Amino acid sequence: MTADPANPEHPERAAVAALADDFLTRLREWIAIPSIGADPAHHGDVAGSAHWLADALRADGWPEVAVWDEGPALPAVHACWPSADPAAPTVLVYAHHDVQPVDPLEQWEHPPFEGVVVGEELFGRGASDDKGQVAMHLLAVQAHLRATGATAPAVTLKLFVEGEEESGSPHLGELLDRHADDLACDLVVFTDTPMYSRDAPTVNTGQRGVLGAEVFFTGGTSDVHSGRAGGGVPNPATAIARLVAALHDADGRVLLPGFYADVVEPTPLERADYAALPFDEAEWLSANAGGARAGTGEAGWSTLERVWVRPTAEVNGIQGGYTGPGLKTIVPASASVKLSFRLVPDQQPAKVMAALREFVAANTPEGVEAEVVVRGDGVPAYAADVTHPATLAVHEAMSASFDQPVRYSRTGGSGPAGVLHDRLGVPVVYFGATLPDDRIHAPNERVVLPVLLRGAEAAARLWRLLPERLS
Amino acid sequence: MTADPANPEHPERAAVAALADDFLTRLREWIAIPSIGADPAHHGDVAGSAHWLADALRADGWPEVAVWDEGPALPAVHACWPSADPAAPTVLVYAHHDVQPVDPLEQWEHPPFEGVVVGEELFGRGASDDKGQVAMHLLAVQAHLRATGATAPAVTLKLFVEGEEESGSPHLGELLDRHADDLACDLVVFTDTPMYSRDAPTVNTGQRGVLGAEVFFTGGTSDVHSGRAGGGVPNPATAIARLVAALHDADGRVLLPGFYADVVEPTPLERADYAALPFDEAEWLSANAGGARAGTGEAGWSTLERVWVRPTAEVNGIQGGYTGPGLKTIVPASASVKLSFRLVPDQQPAKVMAALREFVAANTPEGVEAEVVVRGDGVPAYAADVTHPATLAVHEAMSASFDQPVRYSRTGGSGPAGVLHDRLGVPVVYFGATLPDDRIHAPNERVVLPVLLRGAEAAARLWRLLPERLS
Ligand SMILES: [Zn+2]
Ligand SMILES: [Zn+2]
């Protein structure tokens, strides 16, 4: 290992510093390609983005680079850089290069596809989610080689950067199956999550799963005048409200049968870490909860725990009867509710869906007909094992790079980590250096460059540490 | 009293039979005037309808006839025919000449404004509600004079036929106040309700009141992504569902504080009458309840009682969050519910509204802001006293005219009987001879002519009986 003489304890930091200008130029160039996967008019840009990435990897010396553009999936990029040591572990970095739409455009203070730098921040769609983090990995590999003085990484590195994450990764399973050999690995490093905050860097260790369904209640075939029959016939809107009310007990626990049977609680170490994180409820509500006035939820758990490690049942939408202006004295013929369940390990979407059907059947009153429509297969939750050597190595690399205590955190949203785990049959760890207030999916997305560079340093360090830690 | 020699027991029946042809010609002429009060394009027709009625009354010999067209109320008709006996009671007949719109026009089997006769039925908008019943009264007065051989009615008759009933009688109180002298009376005969059925003629004795309100629950200022905050913040859609679920207990009783405190239950006689009426639940549901699959409601009361004499809380509409196609995993910022309460004597709309506000305040969870918007002042319920001599006289007149046992019934809808009672300070009795399956407010409205003629006979008889029964 070649230590930078100016920075003997931080060879990766010195290497990152030396490469930082090129990194920024390159990321701004990539951000300029509007790879909006949700908009068919931009599918050419998604392909352009994939080819830009492939070219960048080739320029960096990655020996195997391919754009997978076989359809129906939008173009994904795959690359591999074998370690010189055939016994070294193989690590697959997962990320994505498609970006969210930019509406409402008028709310952007800088053009979303120009990569404007203001102070420490780089603004643009994808700056944080997820081009910034992919570029961070490219930089990290260069820095790793420079810091170690080697011509190949210490681990066999594979990169898989898909183009449909923002669309829910509809063809991910198909890609994983078709390219099973190319993607075979010992560990997945999942790079599409943030840290807790700049002042409290964390290793993310999990995402919740999600399952959506719609319940339709029907009484008669048409609305009924409430003067004629009100009080004498079932009211599907009242019935759907009662169904929703029955979803939780007074402690905020979800009452689907067996809902908590498979729930794995976080370890005491994780709970202690969550409790140690700086948390200001009012600030959190304003940043995360659209101005909600109070944190509430399942009894016995903190707000962070409620959104990170506890499963939920949420009403996303409810509708029934007359909803125009003024009043119409009817008993509605039908009503419906859109529900989503955030899941945690080891809840299985299919099992929760079966429990929902059972719950709906038990809560359908006489004279009402129920229909449950499932929205997709759901996304399973995933949590990294905090005692696994790979997780510990990430923690070690982050701790050495951020010069601050690093804790564990999770995120409440969902992603394909569980799918990667299930299909590839290997552990998944999360690695990310973006921030929750980067305004991803919103106007004025940005990334904080010094934080991202520390992330690159940590990744470079991780590749150096992993062969020994996993041995 | 001059008895018809051909029909000594039924002088009124014979008189009605003699006048029936003219009656039909006249009613068909009136139906041809499309007096749709809800449509400003037809306000000229509402005036035309009022003048048609005034002319008909004058032609019949009514000595005092006026069209009240002072605005803002649509034209109403007032007439008076004093009894020869200055000591005779004064009776005010209330009815209306405005009609409902005819959409959807394509569902009419006969043109709505032509008065087509098919067998015993006369089809047309207003044939039953309420022109048919007004024409019935005109015929009844003629028949009364013919049957009694007198030149003036046995009671002082006043007629008040308003032009805004189908619009909720928004200026009725104003008219009653402005014309207090013209409308002064000892008894109101309210003619805008049906009997139970052709095979089970009834005297209606009450209508429910109604009160509408909308409840808005707000959490934050914008929808929240359920992955970020779901489980940690209040969900206004869940909260509004819980509010609705809390509206009733398991027996279907309404849980607003004090909701039943002022409720006057029907007399044992009335309940016995309701129980004796022919009732087929499946038939009733299909005719009245838009194909509802089962009758349900407050425990301890029959379906007819639930819709006639019991107060209700109904959800007319509920809305919150995302209601478009597919799924959107949000915690909605807000949700709302439109509620209406059917009231019974002696519930006061203002008191129920205060109870609703109290109930909403008690059921608004932490972090949610509630707003209750009242829709109008509500309409109070009204019930005629079944022991009052006027009610008994109506019962007697109907029994003699329909040749069948006559029972008491009520209707579940609302009307201005309570307003008339409160402003004029006199008892109100109901008198009607239409049928619940006349399809009022719907395409193919009709009236069954032989039934309406029996109604005219009963009214004629009523005017003869009343002086003695009220003395
Ligand atoms: Zn992402
Ligand atoms: Zn009417």
Side-chain angles (χ1 to χ4, degrees):
Chain A
M1 186 180 80
T2 305
D4 184 316
N7 219 337
E9 275 181 80
H10 286 297
E12 285 84 5
R13 183 168 302 172
V16 163
L19 298 163
D21 286 351
D22 284 352
F23 157 78
L24 180 58
T25 305
R26 173 181 263 187
L27 176 53
R28 295 186 59 202
E29 201 180 295
W30 198 15
I31 287 171
I33 305 172
S35 50
I36 304 170
D39 183 353
H42 281 290
H43 284 181
D45 293 315
V46 176
S49 164
H51 285 284
W52 181 94
L53 175 59
D55 290 345
L57 290 163
R58 286 186 195 108
D60 280 355
W62 286 68
E64 302 167 27
V65 178
V67 173
W68 291 341
D69 191 7
E70 315 107 357
L74 291 172
V77 176
H78 176 260
C80 180
W81 198 331
S83 169
D85 177 2
T90 299
V91 178
L92 175 69
V93 172
Y94 165 87
H96 65 91
H97 69 96
D98 57 315
V99 299
Q100 282 276 325
V102 293
D103 327 302
L105 187 59
E106 66 278 9
Q107 291 184 17
W108 286 78
E109 288 168 27
H110 310 285
F113 297 112
E114 285 187 13
V116 173
V117 177
V118 180
E120 294 185 324
E121 295 173 289
L122 168 63
F123 288 87
R125 177 55 85 224
S128 174
D129 178 23
D130 195 23
K131 284 175 175 168
Q133 301 221 76
V134 177
M136 169 190 79
H137 272 299
L138 266 59
L139 168 59
V141 175
Q142 297 300 304
H144 167 59
L145 297 178
R146 188 182 180 107
T148 57
T151 54
V155 292
T156 290
L157 276 173
K158 291 182 174 181
L159 202 58
F160 173 46
V161 183
E162 71 153 316
E164 296 192 319
E165 199 280 337
E166 300 296 4
S167 307
S169 306
H171 307 99
L172 179 60
E174 210 176 308
L175 280 179
L176 294 175
D177 288 347
R178 192 188 310 145
H179 297 285
D181 289 345
D182 296 321
L183 297 170
C185 60
D186 301 301
L187 175 72
V188 171
V189 170
F190 186 100
T191 295
D192 192 26
T193 54
M195 306 194 304
Y196 181 71
S197 75
R198 186 170 185 175
D199 296 330
T202 55
V203 175
N204 181 69
T205 63
Q207 288 172 296
R208 293 192 292 187
V210 67
L211 176 69
E214 199 158 0
V215 181
F216 296 87
F217 271 4
T218 308
T221 49
S222 60
D223 294 343
V224 174
H225 186 250
S226 76
R228 273 185 103 102
V233 294
N235 184 321
T238 303
I240 210 104
R242 289 176 184 164
L243 179 88
V244 169
L247 263 179
H248 297 87
D249 69 13
D251 286 332
R253 284 173 66 89
V254 178
L255 293 176
L256 296 198
F259 191 69
Y260 294 94
D262 299 326
V263 167
V264 177
E265 297 197 354
T267 60
L269 166 69
E270 289 169 285
R271 292 196 76 179
D273 264 16
Y274 306 159
L277 289 169
F279 181 78
D280 179 281
E281 182 174 271
E283 207 174 276
W284 182 85
L285 286 171
S286 124
N288 294 276
R293 293 173 181 81
T296 58
E298 188 185 350
W301 300 89
S302 70
T303 295
L304 290 180
E305 288 170 337
R306 285 166 179 164
V307 303
W308 286 350
V309 300
R310 298 303 294 170
T312 70
E314 287 288 351
V315 175
N316 309 127
I318 189 166
Q319 185 180 38
Y322 178 69
T323 55
L327 206 70
K328 205 168 160 187
T329 54
I330 54 161
V331 178
S334 62
S336 64
V337 63
K338 291 179 199 281
L339 299 171
S340 65
F341 300 87
R342 292 283 167 181
L343 308 178
V344 300
D346 287 331
Q347 290 180 301
Q348 293 308 314
K351 206 168 159 187
V352 173
M353 184 48 62
L356 175 65
R357 291 185 187 282
E358 197 181 316
F359 173 82
V360 170
N363 285 278
T364 304
E366 199 198 336
V368 169
E369 209 170 83
E371 191 192 1
V372 179
V373 175
V374 185
R375 300 292 178 199
D377 295 331
V379 175
Y382 185 77
D385 176 356
V386 292
T387 66
H388 192 279
T391 312
L392 298 172
V394 172
H395 194 279
E396 182 182 351
M398 295 277 287
S399 299
S401 304
F402 279 87
D403 299 329
Q404 290 177 79
V406 168
R407 302 188 188 279
Y408 290 118
S409 66
R410 295 204 197 177
T411 62
S414 305
V419 175
L420 293 164
H421 171 261
D422 294 347
R423 301 270 177 155
L424 300 176
V426 299
V428 176
V429 294
Y430 293 86
F431 184 95
T434 54
L435 298 173
D437 48 359
D438 281 347
R439 293 180 293 275
I440 68 166
H441 300 202
N444 302 310
E445 178 175 351
R446 62 95 202 244
V447 74
V448 178
L449 292 167
V451 178
L452 201 62
L453 294 177
R454 287 295 170 102
E457 177 186 334
R461 200 166 252 133
L462 180 64
W463 307 145
R464 174 161 61 84
L465 296 173
L466 269 183
E468 189 188 328
R469 298 296 185 275
L470 291 183
S471 67
Chain B
M1 188 179 83
T2 307
D4 186 319
N7 220 337
E9 278 180 78
H10 285 297
E12 285 84 5
R13 182 168 303 173
V16 163
L19 298 163
D21 286 351
D22 284 351
F23 157 80
L24 180 58
T25 305
R26 173 179 264 186
L27 176 53
R28 295 185 59 203
E29 203 179 294
W30 199 14
I31 287 171
I33 304 173
S35 50
I36 303 170
D39 183 353
H42 282 289
H43 285 182
D45 293 316
V46 176
S49 164
H51 285 284
W52 181 93
L53 175 58
D55 290 345
L57 289 162
R58 287 186 194 105
D60 280 354
W62 287 67
E64 301 167 29
V65 178
V67 172
W68 290 341
D69 192 6
E70 313 108 358
L74 291 173
V77 176
H78 177 259
C80 180
W81 198 331
S83 170
D85 177 2
T90 299
V91 179
L92 175 70
V93 172
Y94 165 88
H96 66 92
H97 69 95
D98 58 315
V99 299
Q100 281 276 326
V102 294
D103 328 302
L105 187 58
E106 67 277 10
Q107 291 184 16
W108 286 79
E109 287 168 27
H110 310 285
F113 298 112
E114 285 188 13
V116 173
V117 176
V118 180
E120 295 185 325
E121 296 173 288
L122 168 62
F123 288 85
R125 176 57 85 224
S128 173
D129 177 24
D130 194 22
K131 284 175 176 169
Q133 302 221 77
V134 177
M136 168 190 79
H137 273 299
L138 267 57
L139 168 59
V141 176
Q142 296 299 305
H144 167 59
L145 297 177
R146 188 181 180 108
T148 58
T151 56
V155 292
T156 289
L157 276 173
K158 291 183 175 179
L159 203 58
F160 174 44
V161 183
E162 71 153 317
E164 297 191 318
E165 198 279 337
E166 301 295 5
S167 309
S169 305
H171 307 100
L172 179 60
E174 209 176 310
L175 280 178
L176 294 175
D177 287 348
R178 192 186 310 146
H179 297 284
D181 289 346
D182 297 321
L183 298 168
C185 60
D186 301 302
L187 176 73
V188 171
V189 171
F190 187 101
T191 295
D192 192 25
T193 54
M195 305 193 304
Y196 182 71
S197 74
R198 187 170 185 175
D199 297 331
T202 55
V203 176
N204 181 68
T205 64
Q207 289 172 294
R208 294 191 290 187
V210 67
L211 176 69
E214 198 158 0
V215 182
F216 296 86
F217 271 5
T218 308
T221 49
S222 60
D223 295 343
V224 173
H225 186 250
S226 76
R228 272 185 103 102
V233 294
N235 184 320
T238 303
I240 211 103
R242 289 176 185 165
L243 178 89
V244 169
L247 263 179
H248 297 86
D249 69 11
D251 287 332
R253 285 174 66 88
V254 178
L255 293 176
L256 295 198
F259 191 69
Y260 294 93
D262 299 327
V263 167
V264 177
E265 297 197 352
T267 60
L269 167 68
E270 288 169 284
R271 293 197 75 179
D273 264 18
Y274 306 158
L277 290 169
F279 181 78
D280 180 282
E281 183 174 90
E283 208 173 275
W284 182 87
L285 286 170
S286 123
N288 295 275
R293 294 174 180 82
T296 59
E298 187 185 351
W301 300 89
S302 70
T303 296
L304 290 179
E305 288 171 338
R306 287 167 178 163
V307 303
W308 286 351
V309 301
R310 297 304 293 170
T312 69
E314 287 287 351
V315 175
N316 309 128
I318 189 166
Q319 186 179 38
Y322 178 70
T323 55
L327 205 70
K328 205 168 158 186
T329 54
I330 53 162
V331 178
S334 61
S336 63
V337 63
K338 291 180 200 280
L339 299 171
S340 65
F341 300 86
R342 291 284 166 180
L343 308 177
V344 300
D346 287 330
Q347 291 180 302
Q348 293 308 313
K351 207 168 157 185
V352 173
M353 184 48 61
L356 175 64
R357 291 185 187 283
E358 197 181 317
F359 174 83
V360 170
N363 285 277
T364 303
E366 199 198 338
V368 169
E369 208 170 82
E371 191 192 1
V372 179
V373 175
V374 184
R375 300 294 179 198
D377 295 330
V379 175
Y382 185 77
D385 175 358
V386 292
T387 67
H388 192 278
T391 313
L392 297 172
V394 172
H395 195 279
E396 183 183 350
M398 295 277 287
S399 299
S401 303
F402 279 87
D403 299 329
Q404 289 177 77
V406 168
R407 304 189 187 279
Y408 290 117
S409 66
R410 296 203 196 178
T411 61
S414 305
V419 175
L420 292 163
H421 171 262
D422 294 347
R423 300 270 178 155
L424 301 175
V426 298
V428 176
V429 294
Y430 294 87
F431 183 95
T434 54
L435 298 173
D437 49 358
D438 280 347
R439 293 179 293 273
I440 69 168
H441 301 200
N444 302 310
E445 177 175 352
R446 62 94 202 246
V447 74
V448 178
L449 291 167
V451 177
L452 201 61
L453 293 177
R454 287 294 171 102
E457 177 186 334
R461 199 167 253 134
L462 180 64
W463 308 145
R464 174 162 60 85
L465 295 173
L466 268 183
E468 189 188 328
R469 298 297 184 275
L470 290 182
S471 67

